[in-house]
Amino acid sequence: MRVERIENNIVVSGVRCFDLDLTLDCGQAFRWQRQEDSSYCGVAGGRFLHISKQDDNLIFENTTDEDFYGFWVDYFDLEKDYDEICQRLKSDTLLSSTIDEYYGIRILNQESWEALCSFVISQQNNIKRIKLIISRLCEKYGDELGNGYYTFPSAQRLSELSVEDFAELGAGYRAKYLERLAKAVAGGEIDLQAIKAMPLEQAKKELLKIYGVGTKVADCVLLFGMRFYSCCPLDVWMKRVMEYYPDGFPKCFEGIEGIAQQYLFHWARNNL
DNA sequence: GTCCAGGCATGCA
DNA sequence: TGCATGCATGGA
């Protein structure tokens, strides 16, 4: 990876395996908006970003060194060699053709609080409506960053809301989960940073104690919000995929089941 | 109108 | 590492 500043932009070259559409619009994060020129605008970590790709260069528009090195490198997992991971996964027959077709999916390192709320909202829901509910949540309770973009509201802020407030956003029966979740995190009964630092099994056990969090949501939070790459969320799509692996996953998935899962999830949504 | 979506809590056997 | 059921809502 080579980083160069050109006026207000940061241009990164030499990042292999990074497709903007496949990474930002694949159902792991819900706050990136595709622009007409196929660039993306979004908010993460309280920061607005406009990112585009030209040939093999990633362009971070109007981005400071501080934000780039202090946040985005980690968020986009730019130091990790996803190409090497893909080559490893391709010893599986189904993934071999899938990766050829959809090369460039990365796992974003989202904030655990946002991931937790997002995936509680995601249950028994479709991606379009998940985005709708989250955007309403941010518009109403986040801080405005300009141009209609908002931060994801803090647990402290959301702890002031009632079940009815969450229901008004269209959260449906998940409103009661969100209400209790926000109060528990704001009050310190749930310490996400501590959970993130635990060994996987213990971290998962802690997440499963949370009202409204089951195995699927817990695995999503661990994978997308806490960097446990071996977690493999099994949703309705992945359960269909599992019929292709009656004897379980092959050995080449070991330790990176979550990355394999992202490719299989994408394949399933397009082919099953 | 019916079905479905990145599931979960609850009650029951 | 049981199984059935209700649950809110919006798009297809």
Side-chain angles (χ1 to χ4, degrees):
Chain A
M1 165 172 104
R2 203 162 50 91
V3 182
E4 191 181 356
R5 170 165 292 285
I6 299 179
E7 296 178 359
N8 291 328
N9 301 339
I10 288 180
V11 179
V12 184
S13 54
V15 175
R16 294 187 295 178
C17 194
F18 191 166
D19 183 285
L20 289 180
D21 291 320
L22 293 172
T23 299
L24 299 178
D25 204 12
C26 68
Q28 62 172 314
F30 304 99
R31 304 203 57 215
W32 292 97
Q33 293 178 21
R34 195 176 201 274
Q35 309 300 119
E36 280 188 9
D37 63 357
S38 71
S39 64
Y40 277 82
C41 289
V43 177
R47 298 161 174 83
F48 171 82
L49 178 66
H50 183 187
I51 186 171
S52 58
K53 203 179 174 196
Q54 284 175 13
D55 302 319
D56 282 331
N57 296 328
L58 279 175
I59 301 159
F60 292 74
E61 302 194 12
N62 293 311
T63 303
T64 65
D65 285 356
E66 191 184 351
D67 280 347
F68 178 74
Y69 290 107
F71 186 78
W72 298 115
V73 169
D74 186 58
Y75 180 82
F76 291 111
D77 217 358
L78 294 180
E79 307 277 14
K80 189 186 275 291
D81 188 350
Y82 275 78
D83 186 63
E84 186 272 329
I85 289 169
C86 283
Q87 298 315 316
R88 215 179 116 192
L89 293 174
K90 282 176 81 171
S91 54
D92 175 66
T93 314
L94 177 53
L95 266 188
S96 178
S97 55
T98 302
I99 288 174
D100 281 340
E101 192 174 355
Y102 307 115
Y103 180 73
I105 302 179
R106 304 177 79 88
I107 304 288
L108 299 169
N109 184 28
Q110 301 180 63
E111 289 193 315
S112 48
W113 163 244
E114 179 172 340
L116 180 53
C117 291
S118 299
F119 285 98
V120 163
I121 290 168
S122 80
Q123 64 184 75
Q124 189 62 21
N125 212 338
N126 59 63
I127 292 177
K128 189 165 185 177
R129 206 165 78 87
I130 297 165
K131 287 182 177 176
L132 180 67
I133 295 166
I134 293 175
S135 74
R136 286 177 189 151
L137 177 75
C138 295
E139 261 183 55
K140 192 149 186 189
Y141 301 108
D143 299 323
E144 186 168 11
L145 296 172
N147 297 322
Y149 288 89
Y150 297 81
T151 62
F152 193 89
S154 67
Q156 205 65 44
R157 177 75 181 97
L158 294 187
S159 70
E160 300 162 5
L161 307 191
S162 64
V163 179
E164 291 72 23
D165 291 327
F166 286 108
E168 266 182 33
L169 303 170
Y173 73 91
R174 308 161 198 83
K176 56 184 180 293
Y177 302 151
L178 295 169
E179 191 259 349
R180 276 172 60 169
L181 178 61
K183 288 181 171 60
V185 172
E189 298 154 50
I190 298 169
D191 183 346
L192 294 174
Q193 294 317 308
I195 294 174
K196 191 174 177 177
M198 291 174 185
L200 173 57
E201 289 313 313
Q202 194 187 348
K204 185 163 177 174
K205 203 172 151 187
E206 287 302 312
L207 288 175
L208 288 173
K209 289 180 185 170
I210 300 170
Y211 182 55
V213 175
T215 55
K216 157 63 174 59
V217 171
D219 281 334
C220 283
V221 175
L222 290 163
L223 175 62
F224 301 124
M226 296 185 175
R227 301 207 138 188
F228 287 97
Y229 296 101
S230 64
C231 279
C232 181
L234 296 182
D235 68 329
V236 290
W237 292 102
M238 279 305 292
K239 282 174 184 165
R240 293 165 195 161
V241 169
M242 293 312 286
E243 292 176 20
Y244 292 78
Y245 296 94
D247 304 318
F249 284 146
K251 199 167 172 54
C252 66
F253 286 20
E254 217 172 87
I256 47 174
E257 290 87 345
I259 300 174
Q261 186 267 9
Q262 277 303 96
Y263 279 97
L264 292 170
F265 172 72
H266 193 75
W267 174 79
R269 294 206 337 131
N270 286 287
N271 294 281
L272 296 181

